[in-house]
Amino acid sequence: MGSAASCTVFYDGRPLTAVTGQPLLDVLAKHDIDLPQVCYHPTLGPLQTCDVCWVEVDGELQRGCAVEARDGLQVASQTHNATAAREEGMDRLLGKHELYCTVCENNTGDCTLHNTVADMEIPIQRYEFKRKPYEKDESGAFYTYDPDQCILCGRCVEVCQNVQVNETLTIDYSMEHPRVLWDGGQSIDHSSCVSCGQCVTVCPCNALLEKSMQPDAGPFTAMPQSIKRPMIDIVKKLERTIGAPPVMALSNIDMAWRQPEIKRTKTVCTYCGVGCSFEMWTRDRHILKVQPMQEAPVNGVSTCIKGKFAWDFVNSEKRLTTPLIRENGKFREAGWDEALDLVANRLLKDRDRYGPDTIGFIGSSKASNEEAYLTQKIARMIIGTNNVDNSSRYCQNPATLGLFRTVGYGGDAGTIEDIGQADLVVLVGSNLAENHPVIASRVKAAKKQRGQKLIVVDPRKHEMAERADIFMRPKISTDTIWASAFSRYMFEHGYADEAFLQTRVNGVEEYRRSLAPFTMEYAAEMTDIPLATLIEAAEMIGQAKSVCLLWAMGITQHSHGADTSTALSNLLLVTGNYGRPGTGGYPMRGHNNVQGASDFGCLKNVYPGYEKVTDEAIREKWARAWGVPKDKLSPNVGADNFTMVQQADSDKIRAMYIIGEETAFSDSHSENVHTGFEKLEFLVVQDIFLSRTAQFADVVLPGCPSVEKDGTFVNTERRIQRFYEVMPPLGNSRPDWWILKEVARRMGHDWGYEHPSEIMEEVAAIAEIFRGVSYEHLEAWGSQCWPVGPDGTDTPLLYTDKFHTEDGKAVLYPITWQAPDEAADDDYDLMLDNGRLLEHFQGTNQTGRSPGIDRQLPNWFVEVSPQLAQERGIRDGTWLRVSSRRGSVEVPALVTDRVHGNVLFMPIHQGKPGLNLLTGEHHDPDVNTPAYKETAVKLEILDRPGAGSPLPDYNFRYGRRTPISGVPVQQKWAQHDYVPPPAHLPHPEKL
């Protein structure tokens, strides 16, 4: 904010510096001045529902939350009218809420209502609390709603409607007894609620409360209700004679007692690539709750079902807590010294006996950047091989190559903020609302609040498709065609940014000639998208002032996913949509640190920072930094995940070290993967559970989840963030960075790291794009988007001045469309789409430990279109055998219009070995990513009784959302018995 926008506000005669238009409550908070208030939240803005923050402005009573700063503004808070109005407002709230704070689970220091009552020193509760004719709703898996405690502030409604934009919650102030409603009056578990938990996060009292906080959040909260209820009644009667202050003093003492027991630790989510950060509240090893904070740079107060609630795995009894060594076909427990000595000695022995390139390393996309760095450092510096990779091979390498070809950096062009401010978002092959929910919320909010346009291209009709201005449903594997046809259309209809192309892009004419085959008519014929729809979408893109294009595994997991990713980036270049706010290409990263694992060197062809292993000068730099001769570092590109497994089957790879990856479940054609693992002479698996992959191991090393160690992650927008140890390692497990440094020490390389910060310091001293990265810059809620300059200056938006190429210009990269390697035929007449669903993550090794998650999505199934179901006599629950050219699985049917025609969909999560019994080894030849989305199948109806829909009737997908613009406070004010404070109300419990 520039100095021109600054102003001076006078508050009770005291001059305060402010910014014109800034909410008064934010101004006061900046100056450490407390004005009593309950409903205001900086993320939500002024709701004006609680009537507690009254002040006088120019002699007139106004709600302080709605007052905005302007130069010379005179605000008085201590006048008789303002004070009386605030006290009346609080009295009205307490008429709706029973204060029993000492035995309340929410009296933990952040209960806004309790703290405001205490600060105001309310002498006595003027209005008698009256119960509402509703039961406490405990139907949800993760939180409860108690109407008797609800003060009708509307925070939950506002966050659901306009931040999360799931549009489930409403308030009808005209009801006889108003309350918060789910889908207009459903129970929580039979509504459209997606359990994101944002309503619980912003609730200013205990009306909405995590079940993990109940009942033992405080010293007196776990007492039986048969004792608690009479105790509350006695205290409330006593309060009428002695007044509220003594009772409030007792609750303040209780709140203070709880503080030393509750630990609040900032961490970063372990699930998808959005990179949400939040505080985790714990008492010893009990996770009380996840509390997102406004300061979080990515998500603010937003979360999803997994980030907010799916942490049961941390304390699972199935956790690995001691090393295991296989003997005579069975595992036995071992000490760390024995296990680490065995790993180090055996890897060195195999290196010396067979050669460095017979050993392969798969780093973890869930472990930290520092751990990824040590993984590749062991592989390259000690073993002498570039056989190192991570799970990005299965998903994002095609997108990365497309960006390398065209603009130069293998990461998002900007930030989530850019996506939110774009004029148009184009979403391709990404179920954003379920795979990256917090980013989806930003898109939904931008569309709802300021009319952002949305185009969705996907074979499956998911939530974002339902919300789109234009939804295109292409034939599988034809996205390259429409994207290239759009580029040609831009040139031919005056939408190409000629000035941008002339000054900032190479290869324009050659690329334009390559578009000759891609007419819109050809695109319509090949994609099955109507010509009129294609033209409408192209016009929308051409006319948009700024475009962000997001894509994910629906694009990359094809036999030519790199070419399609290139075509999408080409389209952005043609229209000049790089290097400006609200523009760029955004491949959505799936795992929490799949970006960081690649950034920090777990790739077969690059050192950390994407510095090529084939470049002699680069190799010499890394050898010098590591203190080894240059010829110790291999100049050859190594094998990747896909080829390592194949080479294991052919005895070219003799030993592997796999960290935190469920390769046996996630790699394609799992039968062949298992055969390869069985042929390995030595396999080390480092994980937190005895995964399917670990079951093939000779040595299993128990690592730690992120909440049991320190480190950093990189999210989808290239943002590096710190996470902190929430609790110590479980049992005898150890942080992965410690395990790796101990393996290296036993190999003769004592690196001496005592903390991950020292590892990051080493990386920053070598890799150019991380020069200014430091734990000091990342302290608390700090973050840095690479590339980072030596002074710590980061780069949230790329390509503002130049592209990451030799001459600083982007490249339009000509491509041709190639048919998919596998398609439907007479024998296998259907195509099987697949992907993630909101509730679970990957192979359920983490989410599968949560009873609440499993309750939401307990069964595996195959989605069948209504058309196909009618043709073949399939109903919900009909048991089907789904067979590909490689194998078959048996699952119940779910008939839904989310899929269309002869395309099926299956979640990737459940079932072991699961979906990859069906997928094949056909792959993108440019990056070796398996073509998971190109799987032809056939269906057989099994003679087995069905049990109805495999999706429970309480799953959110059956809910009916109730979109409104926000909290209808005007409806409240319009009620016949409402009068503004300081006047009294006859029925405060209703308003």
Side-chain angles (χ1 to χ4, degrees), residues 429-508:
S430 169
N431 184 356
L432 195 70
E434 298 196 47
N435 295 173
H436 303 91
V438 169
I439 296 179
S441 293
R442 301 297 184 261
V443 175
K444 291 188 287 185
K447 180 170 179 55
K448 182 175 184 177
Q449 294 163 18
R450 63 174 190 81
Q452 182 185 73
K453 298 296 184 181
L454 175 63
I455 296 173
V456 172
V457 189
D458 205 288
R460 186 166 176 265
K461 187 176 71 174
H462 44 66
E463 179 189 341
M464 300 307 287
E466 293 172 347
R467 292 179 178 272
D469 296 283
I470 299 174
F471 172 41
M472 301 194 301
R473 210 168 203 164
K475 183 179 178 182
I476 285 178
S477 299
T478 61
D479 296 277
T480 298
I481 297 174
W482 67 258
S484 298
F486 279 17
S487 286
R488 174 172 170 167
Y489 188 91
M490 301 304 156
F491 281 115
E492 293 179 344
H493 291 79
Y495 295 128
D497 190 333
E498 299 291 353
F500 177 84
L501 293 171
Q502 183 176 357
T503 59
R504 301 202 59 191
V505 183
N506 289 325
V508 177

Side-chain angles (χ1 to χ4, degrees), residues 523-595:
E525 176 188 352
M526 297 298 290
T527 65
D528 288 341
I529 302 172
L531 177 61
T533 304
L534 289 170
I535 293 174
E536 182 186 10
E539 284 285 331
M540 187 174 287
I541 293 172
Q543 294 177 27
K545 296 177 182 177
S546 59
V547 178
C548 285
L549 198 155
L550 285 61
W551 70 102
M553 294 187 294
I555 290 299
T556 59
Q557 292 181 335
H558 291 263
S559 51
H560 302 287
D563 285 349
T564 305
S565 298
T566 306
L568 296 174
S569 189
N570 283 337
L571 175 59
L572 290 168
L573 286 172
V574 169
T575 52
N577 279 295
Y578 270 114
R580 295 182 288 116
T583 67
Y586 297 79
M588 295 287 98
R589 305 310 191 185
H591 288 260
N592 61 301
N593 204 39
V594 70
Q595 180 72 52

Side-chain angles (χ1 to χ4, degrees), residues 112-330:
T112 304
L113 181 61
H114 168 274
N115 296 345
T116 306
V117 171
D119 290 345
M120 292 179 71
E121 299 180 344
I122 300 293
I124 195 164
Q125 184 171 332
R126 180 179 296 117
Y127 297 115
E128 181 182 358
F129 167 73
K130 294 182 180 180
R131 299 194 182 286
K132 304 179 183 75
Y134 309 112
E135 297 295 321
K136 182 177 180 180
D137 189 341
E138 303 188 67
S139 67
F142 304 106
Y143 67 92
T144 59
Y145 172 63
D146 189 348
D148 271 345
Q149 296 300 92
C150 180
I151 59 175
L152 301 177
C153 69
R155 275 190 182 187
C156 58
V157 173
E158 182 67 20
V159 81
C160 184
Q161 290 287 340
N162 290 322
V163 178
Q164 164 68 17
V165 200
N166 201 57
E167 301 173 317
T168 298
L169 303 186
T170 56
I171 293 180
D172 183 356
Y173 287 105
S174 68
M175 294 173 63
E176 175 67 17
H177 297 279
R179 54 157 289 173
V180 175
L181 301 172
W182 276 252
D183 287 357
Q186 298 295 319
S187 62
I188 293 171
D189 70 340
H190 277 81
S191 74
S192 60
C193 173
V194 294
S195 300
C196 69
Q198 291 183 43
C199 59
V200 188
T201 294
V202 300
C203 180
C205 57
N206 64 330
L208 287 160
L209 195 62
E210 298 91 343
K211 286 189 172 181
S212 56
M213 290 279 286
Q214 305 175 51
D216 56 353
F220 304 113
T221 59
M223 66 178 63
Q225 191 68 17
S226 59
I227 299 175
K228 182 186 292 188
R229 184 68 255 173
M231 180 182 293
I232 294 172
D233 292 340
I234 291 171
V235 172
K236 298 308 287 185
K237 288 180 181 178
L238 182 64
E239 187 179 287
R240 293 181 198 141
T241 60
I242 66 172
V247 178
M248 185 56 64
L250 181 61
S251 72
N252 281 332
I253 292 171
D254 167 69
M255 183 177 71
W257 280 348
R258 300 187 195 190
Q259 301 310 307
E261 295 183 349
I262 298 176
K263 181 182 177 186
R264 299 165 172 84
T265 312
K266 182 246 182 168
T267 190
V268 179
C269 188
T270 191
Y271 286 107
C272 80
V274 175
C276 296
S277 54
F278 31 69
E279 284 186 350
M280 185 170 281
W281 288 35
T282 54
R283 180 189 289 112
D284 298 322
R285 291 197 66 88
H286 176 52
I287 298 173
L288 291 167
K289 66 175 177 176
V290 162
Q291 184 74 0
M293 308 292 285
Q294 188 185 359
E295 297 89 339
V298 175
N299 56 301
V301 299
S302 297
T303 43
C304 77
I305 182 174
K306 296 186 288 293
K308 179 75 173 177
F309 297 115
W311 294 92
D312 303 75
F313 73 91
V314 172
N315 291 313
S316 169
E317 61 182 14
K318 299 291 187 181
R319 278 279 305 276
L320 290 170
T321 57
T322 192
L324 303 175
I325 294 175
R326 186 183 297 277
E327 278 187 0
N328 301 318
K330 296 182 179 180

Side-chain angles (χ1 to χ4, degrees), residues 604-658:
K604 64 180 180 179
N605 59 334
V606 290
Y607 294 105
Y610 300 98
E611 300 180 2
K612 295 179 180 179
V613 300
T614 54
D615 186 312
E616 288 295 307
I618 293 295
R619 190 160 62 99
E620 183 172 348
K621 181 183 79 166
W622 282 94
R624 184 169 59 252
W626 285 342
V628 297
K630 186 175 75 169
D631 58 9
K632 179 70 174 176
L633 303 183
S634 173
N636 304 315
V637 172
D640 53 47
N641 290 14
F642 185 76
T643 54
M644 275 188 252
V645 173
Q646 289 184 323
Q647 290 178 15
D649 193 39
S650 62
D651 295 330
K652 291 182 180 177
I653 293 287
R654 302 297 188 102
M656 290 185 70
Y657 195 144
I658 300 176

